[in-house]
């Protein structure tokens, strides 16, 4: 039976036939997709090339960009392919892989944001102990846990889902998610439902609560310091806070979308793109605009690596004047020193 399941085909019914709406959606999705890829890779290169950015906060931000690429690449190419093709399908095995990597994107992003909130909490609430707490070994351990825990839990979830017998082959969505794949089954799986609840509690609710608690403590500390210190703390936390709110909004829309799949094709496209593309697109822009250190490093890279000779303006340089060198007897030589 499992051999048949893994080689069966799943059809998406939310796209509709190719037409002006699909082609417009394809163009916009393609445009956002390439901008997202470019912005995340650019941010990763800036952090990698600039040694001054090799700090815990930027290391976590680098991994947030990597995670954004995982989310985009796991779903968007297949969405664009289905928008313009007559047959909108995917193999059952490919559907499970799409569920796995899109879930890795969502869960790892929340865990990374929680770790970044912890980093901001230590930086603002315990500044004198920051370097003793956020040691290189601890940062490496946190980065490893960011991926190990979600991937391990999701791998087991995919194993449970893959063992369910399939009786239906139509999904009224633009891409596969775990709930939609479970609904294709002939039987109700209590284990799958219970494990799904545990995963949401562990990888979404718990990180969300930790971020909120971190910012409550940061706010309490900021109320006791000077106005200048409060402003500095806000500038430090603003990019992460905006990113957290943006991603939480995307998750909320996605949850509502998963529970109410009987929506129009246009809403399907909007919510799917909003969940997969908008957070990875907005995050690098937010940090690029709001973080002075990153802006400075981007400017430096543009000036020194991309256009190293563009600021020399050789056509504006005049020939150096030669000042005659006087000898001991008061006569001038033909040679001179440039000035």
């Amino acid at each position: 039976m499992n051999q048949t399941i893994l080689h069966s085909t799943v059809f998406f019914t939310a796209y509709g036939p190719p037409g002006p709406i699909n082609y417009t959606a394809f163009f916009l999705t393609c445009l956002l997709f390439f901008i997202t890829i470019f912005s995340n890779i650019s941010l990763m290169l800036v952090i990698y090339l600039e040694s001054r950015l090799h700090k815990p906060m930027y290391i976590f931000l680098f991994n947030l960009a990597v995670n954004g690429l995982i989310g985009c690449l796991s779903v968007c190419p297949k969405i664009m392919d289905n928008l313009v093709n007559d047959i909108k399908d995917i193999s059952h095995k490919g559907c499970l892989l799409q569920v796995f990597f899109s879930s890795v994107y969502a869960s790892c992003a929340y865990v990374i944001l929680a770790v970044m909130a912890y980093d901001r909490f230590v930086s603002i609430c315990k500044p004198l102990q920051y370097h003793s707490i956020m040691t290189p070994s601890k940062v490496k351990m946190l980065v490893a846990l960011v991926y190990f825990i979600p991937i391990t839990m999701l791998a087991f979830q995919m194993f449970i889902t893959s063992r369910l017998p399939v009786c239906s082959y139509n999904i009224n969505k633009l891409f596969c998610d775990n709930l939609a794949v479970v609904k294709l089954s002939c039987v109700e799986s209590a284990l799958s439902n219970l494990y799904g609840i545990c995963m949401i509690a562990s990888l979404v609710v718990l990180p969300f609560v930790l971020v909120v608690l971190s910012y409550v403590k940061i706010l309490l500390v900021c109320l006791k310091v000077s106005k200048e210190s409060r402003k500095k703390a806000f500038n430090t936390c603003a990019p992460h806070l905006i990113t957290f709110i943006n991603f939480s909004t995307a998750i909320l829309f996605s949850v509502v979308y998963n529970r109410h799949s009987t929506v129009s094709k246009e809403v399907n496209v909007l919510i799917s793109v909003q969940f997969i593309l908008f957070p990875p697109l907005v995050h690098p822009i937010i940090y690029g605009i709001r973080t002075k250190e990153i802006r400075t490093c981007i400017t430096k890279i543009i000036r020194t690596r991309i256009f190293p000779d563009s600021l020399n303006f050789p056509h504006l340089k005049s020939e150096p004047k030669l000042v005659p060198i006087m000898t001991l007897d008061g006569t001038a030589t033909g040679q001179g020193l440039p000035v």
Side-chain angles (χ1 to χ4, degrees), residues 182-193:
V182 169
K183 286 182 177 179
L184 297 177
S185 174
C186 313
V187 297
E188 185 77 17
S189 174
L191 176 60
S192 178
N193 293 334

Side-chain angles (χ1 to χ4, degrees), residues 156-175:
F156 186 67
Q157 183 189 50
M158 289 302 96
F159 174 77
I160 296 174
T161 303
S162 68
R163 306 299 295 178
L164 297 176
V166 178
C167 293
S168 176
Y169 300 94
N170 292 331
I171 294 178
N172 188 35
K173 294 180 180 179
L174 297 186
F175 61 92

Side-chain angles (χ1 to χ4, degrees), residues 36-37 39-45 47 58-74 101 104-105 108-109 112 143 146-147 280 283-284:
T36 300
I37 297 296
S39 60
N40 280 277
I41 291 179
S42 298
L43 180 62
M44 290 164 59
L45 285 174
I47 295 173
Y58 299 111
I59 293 173
F60 299 140
L61 180 56
F62 180 94
N63 285 274
L64 189 65
V66 171
N67 188 64
L69 291 178
I70 292 173
C72 290
L73 294 172
S74 66
F101 284 108
V104 166
Y105 153 72
C108 285
I112 293 171
V143 171
V146 158
Y147 293 104
H283 296 169

Side-chain angles (χ1 to χ4, degrees), residues 257-277:
Y257 165 66
N258 286 336
R259 294 296 180 271
H260 304 280
S261 58
T262 56
V263 296
S264 66
K265 179 173 63 177
E266 293 78 8
V267 175
N268 256 316
V269 174
L270 176 64
I271 295 178
S272 299
V273 171
Q274 192 267 349
F275 167 66
I276 291 295
L277 275 181

Side-chain angles (χ1 to χ4, degrees), residues 29-144:
T29 304
C30 185
L31 179 64
L32 290 173
F33 174 73
F34 283 109
I35 294 175
T36 300
I37 297 296
F38 173 78
S39 60
N40 280 277
I41 291 179
S42 298
L43 180 62
M44 290 164 59
L45 285 174
V46 170
I47 295 173
Y48 176 78
L49 293 173
E50 286 298 317
S51 57
R52 64 189 289 187
L53 297 181
H54 295 176
K55 303 174 184 177
M57 182 177 75
Y58 299 111
I59 293 173
F60 299 140
L61 180 56
F62 180 94
N63 285 274
L64 189 65
V66 171
N67 188 64
L69 291 178
I70 292 173
C72 290
L73 294 172
S74 66
V75 171
C76 289
K78 189 59 182 174
I79 288 180
M80 292 186 288
D81 179 64
N82 286 335
L83 282 170
V84 295
N85 284 332
D86 293 326
I87 301 176
K88 296 79 166 65
D89 64 342
I90 189 173
S91 68
H92 189 271
K93 187 175 182 180
C95 192
L96 290 173
L97 287 173
Q98 197 175 73
V99 172
F100 176 74
F101 284 108
S102 61
S103 299
V104 166
Y105 153 72
S107 56
C108 285
Y110 247 125
V111 179
I112 293 171
L113 289 171
V115 171
M116 293 175 75
Y118 171 71
D119 176 73
R120 294 300 84 205
F121 163 74
V122 176
S123 174
I124 293 171
C125 300
K126 301 180 180 180
L128 299 179
Q129 305 172 45
Y130 179 80
H131 293 290
S132 60
I133 295 175
M134 299 301 293
T135 60
S137 59
K138 187 171 185 178
V139 171
K140 291 177 183 178
M141 181 194 71
L142 289 173
V143 171

Side-chain angles (χ1 to χ4, degrees), residues 168-294:
S168 176
Y169 300 94
N170 292 331
I171 294 178
N172 188 35
K173 294 180 180 179
L174 297 186
F175 61 92
C176 299
D177 63 68
N178 190 65
L179 182 60
V181 176
V182 169
K183 286 182 177 179
L184 297 177
S185 174
C186 313
V187 297
E188 185 77 17
S189 174
L191 176 60
S192 178
N193 293 334
L194 179 61
Y195 190 75
I197 293 172
C198 292
M199 283 197 56
I200 292 174
S202 302
L203 301 178
V204 177
V205 176
L206 181 59
F208 181 88
V209 171
L210 291 175
V211 173
V212 171
L213 288 177
S214 296
Y215 275 102
V216 167
K217 291 188 176 183
I218 289 172
L219 178 62
L220 292 175
V221 170
C222 289
L223 292 175
K224 301 176 183 178
V225 298
S226 64
K227 184 177 179 181
E228 186 65 28
S229 298
R230 283 199 299 270
K231 183 179 178 181
K232 185 177 179 181
F234 174 77
N235 289 334
T236 302
C237 295
H240 177 264
L241 192 56
I242 296 170
T243 300
F244 174 70
I245 293 172
N246 174 61
F247 191 75
S248 298
T249 304
I251 290 290
L252 178 62
F253 272 106
S254 178
V255 169
V256 174
Y257 165 66
N258 286 336
R259 294 296 180 271
H260 304 280
S261 58
T262 56
V263 296
S264 66
K265 179 173 63 177
E266 293 78 8
V267 175
N268 256 316
V269 174
L270 176 64
I271 295 178
S272 299
V273 171
Q274 192 267 349
F275 167 66
I276 291 295
L277 275 181
F278 281 3
L281 171 63
V282 172
H283 296 169
I285 296 174
I286 290 173
Y287 275 94
I289 294 174
R290 294 289 308 180
T291 308
K292 183 179 178 181
E293 210 165 4
I294 290 181

Side-chain angles (χ1 to χ4, degrees), residues 45-52 54 297-311:
L45 285 174
V46 170
I47 295 173
Y48 176 78
L49 293 173
E50 286 298 317
S51 57
R52 64 189 289 187
H54 295 176
C297 290
I298 291 174
T299 304
K300 177 185 173 184
I301 289 174
I302 292 174
R303 287 180 175 177
T304 60
R305 295 176 184 266
I306 300 178
F307 302 109
D309 300 322
S310 62
L311 301 179

